[in-house]
């Protein structure tokens, strides 16, 4: 592990524990060259592949989900910990239910299910990109079921 400060590959682990989300090992390290401390996280790398709409396959990447959520939730009252909880829930579901491959459609629907309960504006933003809305009619079609279940005055 190279020190992020002096770039030397000479450190020792001071402390190890599970991260807050329980999905990684958090290690506190000290560089033996410059004596500065830094934190690293280790995650188990799975071989799960995502099947894209065009049939291509790429490794599952939780950061890709997080970036999509951040765009959908931009300027919304949603904390980073709430976004991280969605990413972790989606990753857990996919890892528990799919061994080798999962369609991107499944991941997108899982994300939308979580967003719909969290924030309707973020949900519609995500859906508009994910479902490739072409015009305002697509927005209305998506909103109609949500408006039917939302009580008036809310």
């Amino acid at each position: 592990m190279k020190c992020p400060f002096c770039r030397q590959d000479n450190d020792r682990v001071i402390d190890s524990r599970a991260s807050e989300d329980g999905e990684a090992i958090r290690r506190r390290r000290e560089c033996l060259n410059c004596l500065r401390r830094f934190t690293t996280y280790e995650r188990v790398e799975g071989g799960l592949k995502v099947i894209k709409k065009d049939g291509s396959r790429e490794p599952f990447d939780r950061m890709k989900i997080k970036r999509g959520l951040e765009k959908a939730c931009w300027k919304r009252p949603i904390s980073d910990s709430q976004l991280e909880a969605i990413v972790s829930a989606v990753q857990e579901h996919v890892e528990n239910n799919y061994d080798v491959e999962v369609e991107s459609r499944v991941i997108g629907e899982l994300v939308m299910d979580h967003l719909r309960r969290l924030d309707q504006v973020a949900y519609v933003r995500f859906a508009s990109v994910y479902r490739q809305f072409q015009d305002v009619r697509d927005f209305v079609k998506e909103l109609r079921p949500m408006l039917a279940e939302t009580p008036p005055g809310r």
Side-chain angles (χ1 to χ4, degrees):
M1 176 65 56
K2 286 189 178 182
C3 172
F5 306 108
C6 71
R7 309 300 297 159
Q8 294 297 310
D9 187 14
N10 191 12
D11 66 77
R12 69 184 180 107
V13 175
I14 298 169
D15 181 43
S16 291
R17 63 180 68 171
S19 64
E20 290 180 10
D21 64 8
E23 295 189 21
I25 302 292
R26 177 186 179 274
R27 298 199 193 281
R28 192 74 180 136
R29 298 174 181 268
E30 180 179 49
C31 176
L32 297 175
N33 184 54
C34 68
L35 302 178
R36 293 180 75 177
R37 293 181 177 191
F38 57 99
T39 302
T40 60
Y41 292 89
E42 295 178 24
R43 293 187 190 278
V44 174
E45 189 173 309
L48 190 65
K49 299 281 187 199
V50 177
I51 304 170
K52 308 298 286 178
K53 289 178 187 174
D54 66 2
S56 64
R57 287 161 171 74
E58 64 181 48
F60 177 84
D61 181 4
R62 66 182 275 120
M63 290 310 297
K64 200 167 182 183
I65 297 169
K66 178 97 183 259
R67 286 189 300 271
L69 284 168
E70 286 171 343
K71 288 176 186 175
C73 298
W74 185 64
K75 290 196 174 185
R76 297 298 302 155
I78 300 168
S79 70
D80 193 55
S81 63
Q82 288 173 299
L83 296 182
E84 193 59 42
I86 292 174
V87 173
S88 293
V90 169
Q91 182 178 8
E92 182 179 335
H93 178 88
V94 168
E95 288 175 348
N96 289 340
N97 293 287
Y98 299 89
D99 293 328
V100 180
E101 296 180 327
V102 60
E103 292 181 28
S104 61
R105 174 191 56 77
V106 171
I107 295 170
E109 294 296 330
L110 287 167
V111 170
M112 288 198 313
D113 287 345
H114 286 279
L115 270 181
R116 187 173 186 177
R117 286 175 276 172
L118 181 65
D119 186 278
Q120 291 179 339
V121 171
Y123 166 79
V124 172
R125 284 179 180 169
F126 188 90
S128 71
V129 173
Y130 176 71
R131 293 196 174 138
Q132 300 174 340
F133 288 2
Q134 298 299 313
D135 57 34
V136 75
R137 285 186 274 297
D138 293 333
F139 281 92
V140 171
K141 184 177 166 186
E142 190 70 35
L143 289 171
R144 195 168 278 128
M146 290 172 64
L147 292 171
E149 63 190 42
T150 303
R154 183 170 181 259

